[in-house]
Amino acid sequence: MAHQTPHLAPIPELYVSYESAQKLKVEAGNLVSHDLTPRQICDLELLMNGGFNPLKGFLSEADYDSVVETMRTTDGALWPMPVTLDVTEAFAETVELGQDIALRDQEGVILATMTVTDKWVPNKSREAEMVFGADDSAHPAVNYLHNQAGNVYLGGPVTGIQQPVHYDFKARRDTPNELRAYFRKMGWQRIVAFQTRNPLHRAHQELTFRAAREAQANLLIHPVVGMTKPGDVDHFTRVRCYEAVLDKYPSSTTHLSLLNLAMRMGGPREALWHALIRRNHGLTHFIVGRDHAGPGNNSQGEDFYGPYDAQELVRRHQEEIGIEMVDFKHMVYVQEKAQYYPIDEVPEGSTVLNISGTELRRRLAEGIEIPDWFSFPEVVKELRRTKPPRAKQGFTVFFTGFSGSGKSTIANALMVKLMEMGGRPVTLLDGDIVRKNLSSELGFSKEHRDLNIRRIGYVASEITKNGGIAICAPIAPYATTRRAVREDVESFGAFIEVHVDTSIEECERRDRKGLYKLAREGKIKEFTGISDPYDVPETPELRVQTEGADVDNCAHQVILKLESMGLIKG
């Protein structure tokens, strides 16, 4: 019998046998069902396939408290990240302790059953503070916790019936046991994992080569394709980029596998969690980067975590986990030597070239050349397919201002000017059109006005995604709703907020539709600027004054703004 390394022995899974699964499926049909969110599906998949070993299900209240406070479960196992089943109060009321529930995906397929042993209302601010370092909604996971996750947690063991269905990149997705079997078959003993949520450029390739060489190990490129941070490059594009660079690596020493993890962007704790998950996948070494899994800036504009916090935490626990940490070397390109060096080994007096993430995004957006020393032509080609230059992308122009401020008139003029230029379809989403076609059943309460704006935002984001131009001209009085629409649109293209800055006195003097008169007489309730507030935009892309300016000039100001942003060719 060949010598078996313990880290490649099979790991326990939570699935029952095929026969039991068929029986369970039928029985589970009568249970109360919980429809899992995308994040919960990611968590459930890694619970069931052993990626979250030693967890046997969603954390109980005692384990949750212990993990939040001490990074360990009550029996002492190291586990830094709460994995909880959050549900609404309404659903929680339908569930008794000791009851089995069916966990279903979004199509209604039963993936697992769970015995509910615990039900509690967590202290989310405490969780944010302890796990993510601050109760600050600028952190994507804290924002998720407070604004998307349910208010009640359920805990209990999970019985796996079937894996979540993936229709994409099936051959590249490996469970921990599939990876372990692959390493056994290949005779790999030492394997270093590279965790990433970004496309790989030359510096990453140099860094991974070096890490594998120093650890005398094989390399597993192990990108996360579950959920990353809003605004990240989508995983379809990223995987095409990984596949494009794979042949730059020696094939017998490198493997690519996709990890369906929902990242929390939790910095040091997340890095430790990543190391544990990699250990469960049969790896012996793990590369931890500077500010590993950091979410960017907090509300004060500072980094959430120090650059080396993650490395220190992982180093402190590496022996207990049984995985060795490999330092992430910051690689830079030295012009004179025409090759990459770790930043601390750059020969004196040489020129270091670097392109930041922000600069890369700018070059992609504006169609500017990206040099071969920075990235591979194959990767740049994939990125450009997803992000054509700005003058070919869709965008949304969003006018906001009082009723009668001139929004619709300017929007109409802008539409005609853009149509005259040609090249992209233009859609006008103006108040009356929208009220008739999208929102005929809505009134003018705050809730209904918000819903109307969200619908406009949804349509605008779809138009933008498909390369068209959307022009919106609602009153849109509330800043929070405008921010939500901006986020919807900006995941697909540029959002230009134009504040039509006409004073309420001037609007009332014009009173084209006679609405201000009715509002003053109290015949229209909740009228913006009279009996309902208007949040003046603080930093719109453009403010236009209509008093003493003609419509043509106002529309032309918008055109100039679009030109300066590279959205239309001058």
Side-chain angles (χ1 to χ4, degrees):
M1 176 71 200
H3 162 67
Q4 270 281 15
T5 40
H7 68 96
L8 295 182
I11 193 171
E13 296 185 354
L14 305 181
Y15 291 109
V16 292
S17 70
Y18 177 79
E19 288 71 28
S20 311
Q22 299 313 309
K23 274 218 285 288
L24 259 179
K25 239 184 220 168
V26 178
E27 292 162 14
N30 308 317
L31 300 178
V32 172
S33 279
H34 170 65
D35 295 336
L36 299 157
T37 64
R39 174 156 133 179
Q40 291 168 349
I41 292 174
C42 289
D43 285 353
L44 178 65
E45 179 169 353
L46 286 164
L47 278 170
M48 295 192 298
N49 70 19
F52 284 174
N53 185 55
L55 303 192
K56 296 285 178 263
F58 290 99
L59 294 178
S60 66
E61 184 175 6
D63 277 336
Y64 162 82
D65 286 335
S66 179
V67 164
V68 168
E69 299 286 335
T70 68
M71 299 203 303
R72 293 182 184 277
T73 56
T74 45
D75 60 8
L78 188 63
W79 192 263
M81 195 57 64
V83 176
T84 50
L85 190 71
D86 58 279
V87 299
T88 60
E89 280 121 336
F91 180 79
E93 278 168 20
T94 65
V95 179
E96 305 285 316
L97 293 187
Q99 181 180 344
D100 283 354
I101 60 172
L103 303 179
R104 297 178 186 259
D105 71 10
Q106 310 206 298
E107 304 291 314
V109 176
I110 296 177
L111 302 178
T113 61
M114 167 177 161
T115 306
V116 181
T117 56
D118 294 72
K119 171 164 82 171
W120 75 101
V121 175
N123 177 346
K124 289 186 176 182
S125 297
R126 179 89 184 128
E127 181 178 338
E129 198 71 55
M130 295 299 295
V131 178
F132 302 111
D135 190 8
D136 177 346
S137 284
H139 193 298
V142 176
N143 184 44
Y144 184 93
L145 196 60
H146 288 310
N147 299 318
Q148 280 172 280
N151 289 330
V152 183
Y153 286 176
L154 303 181
V158 159
T159 303
I161 294 175
Q162 67 177 59
Q163 297 193 24
V165 185
H166 296 289
Y167 298 108
D168 57 322
F169 306 115
K170 277 183 150 65
R172 298 259 181 226
R173 295 173 180 272
D174 301 295
T175 68
N177 280 328
E178 285 167 345
L179 267 186
R180 288 169 172 234
Y182 175 80
F183 299 149
R184 286 200 300 270
K185 183 174 172 179
M186 298 297 285
W188 292 5
Q189 300 286 333
R190 298 163 65 85
I191 312 113
V192 57
F194 181 56
Q195 139 80 30
T196 178
R197 58 175 228 274
N198 293 313
L200 298 188
H201 302 297
R202 282 194 192 267
H204 301 110
Q205 192 212 28
E206 294 289 341
L207 143 88
T208 50
F209 271 164
R210 190 172 277 262
R213 218 176 29 244
E214 282 178 15
Q216 294 176 328
N218 291 287
L219 175 67
L220 178 73
I221 302 171
H222 208 196
V224 168
V225 294
M227 298 164 74
T228 57
K229 186 175 139 211
D232 279 350
V233 179
D234 70 279
H235 83 264
F236 301 104
T237 304
R238 286 193 290 118
V239 176
R240 290 197 301 268
C241 287
Y242 301 136
E243 294 187 329
V245 294
L246 251 193
D247 59 1
K248 311 281 178 208
Y249 286 93
S251 59
S252 56
T253 61
T254 308
H255 187 59
L256 167 67
S257 180
L258 309 181
L259 179 65
N260 198 47
L261 174 70
M263 286 184 68
R264 307 328 197 226
M265 308 306 298
R269 278 197 184 218
E270 175 108 12
L272 191 57
W273 191 41
H274 286 176
L276 276 160
I277 294 166
R278 291 332 193 291
R279 169 63 215 199
N280 286 335
H281 283 76
L283 294 147
T284 56
H285 293 70
F286 181 55
I287 302 170
V288 179
R290 284 187 54 217
D291 194 19
H292 185 102
N297 290 351
N298 63 18
S299 6
Q300 275 66 56
E302 328 253 294
D303 279 338
F304 268 95
Y305 310 113
Y308 301 106
D309 294 359
Q311 293 183 347
E312 280 163 21
L313 190 65
V314 175
R315 191 174 285 119
R316 212 163 47 235
H317 295 285
Q318 60 181 4
E319 277 186 28
E320 180 178 354
I321 299 171
I323 198 162
E324 210 172 305
M325 190 184 87
V326 179
D327 262 354
F328 180 105
K329 295 270 196 295
H330 185 50
M331 305 296 288
V332 292
Y333 188 74
V334 176
Q335 193 174 9
E336 288 81 359
K337 301 276 187 191
Q339 69 187 59
Y340 277 86
Y341 282 83
I343 198 151
D344 48 9
E345 292 173 27
V346 173
E348 244 179 274
S350 37
T351 322
V352 167
L353 301 180
N354 189 21
I355 292 182
S356 66
T358 316
E359 171 65 6
L360 175 66
R361 283 190 291 277
R362 184 185 78 90
R363 289 186 181 212
L364 285 168
E366 298 177 18
I368 301 169
E369 189 245 353
I370 292 161
D372 280 355
W373 64 258
F374 176 77
S375 193
F376 306 95
E378 300 89 333
V379 172
V380 173
K381 194 177 119 199
E382 281 302 339
L383 291 172
R384 288 207 196 281
R385 276 177 56 196
T386 310
K387 272 265 186 248
R390 267 196 139 171
K392 293 200 171 85
Q393 289 176 28
F395 62 87
T396 293
V397 180
F398 191 95
F399 290 94
T400 169
F402 292 122
S403 173
S405 59
K407 299 184 302 296
S408 298
T409 319
I410 301 169
N412 268 297
L414 177 66
M415 174 175 74
V416 174
K417 284 176 185 287
L418 289 169
M419 287 168 95
E420 180 191 356
M421 289 180 181
R424 279 176 281 199
V426 187
T427 303
L428 178 64
L429 297 166
D430 191 19
D432 302 341
I433 308 171
V434 168
R435 285 277 175 185
K436 184 170 156 231
N437 293 301
L438 276 180
S439 300
S440 54
E441 84 290 12
L442 297 184
F444 289 88
S445 65
K446 179 172 187 336
E447 258 164 311
H448 277 196
R449 294 165 77 167
D450 270 350
L451 192 50
N452 182 47
I453 302 297
R454 290 307 299 263
R455 287 180 188 175
I456 292 174
Y458 170 69
V459 176
S461 73
E462 285 293 314
I463 290 168
T464 301
K465 173 166 85 180
N466 288 294
I469 299 172
I471 303 173
C472 315
I475 295 170
Y478 312 119
T480 45
T481 317
R482 293 195 301 259
R483 175 183 161 175
V485 170
R486 177 185 289 275
E487 283 172 4
D488 287 349
V489 171
E490 281 185 340
S491 43
F492 303 116
F495 181 83
I496 299 91
E497 184 175 34
V498 181
H499 178 212
V500 182
D501 192 6
T502 311
S503 68
I504 191 83
E505 295 74 27
E506 174 66 14
C507 294
E508 191 160 3
R509 201 179 54 67
R510 295 177 189 172
D511 204 8
R512 277 190 314 120
K513 302 181 187 166
L515 295 174
Y516 283 91
K517 182 173 179 293
L518 293 172
R520 288 283 181 209
E521 291 164 3
K523 290 183 183 151
I524 303 180
K525 301 275 175 279
E526 302 186 276
F527 192 77
T528 299
I530 304 291
S531 48
D532 209 53
Y534 177 77
D535 304 336
V536 175
E538 285 174 23
T539 52
E541 275 71 10
L542 184 65
R543 254 186 244 283
V544 292
Q545 314 288 338
T546 62
E547 297 165 51
D550 65 354
V551 175
D552 199 298
N553 175 270
C554 294
H556 191 63
Q557 286 180 46
V558 182
I559 292 277
L560 290 173
K561 182 69 192 172
L562 296 173
E563 269 181 23
S564 76
M565 291 174 75
L567 291 163
I568 53 183
K569 288 267 195 281

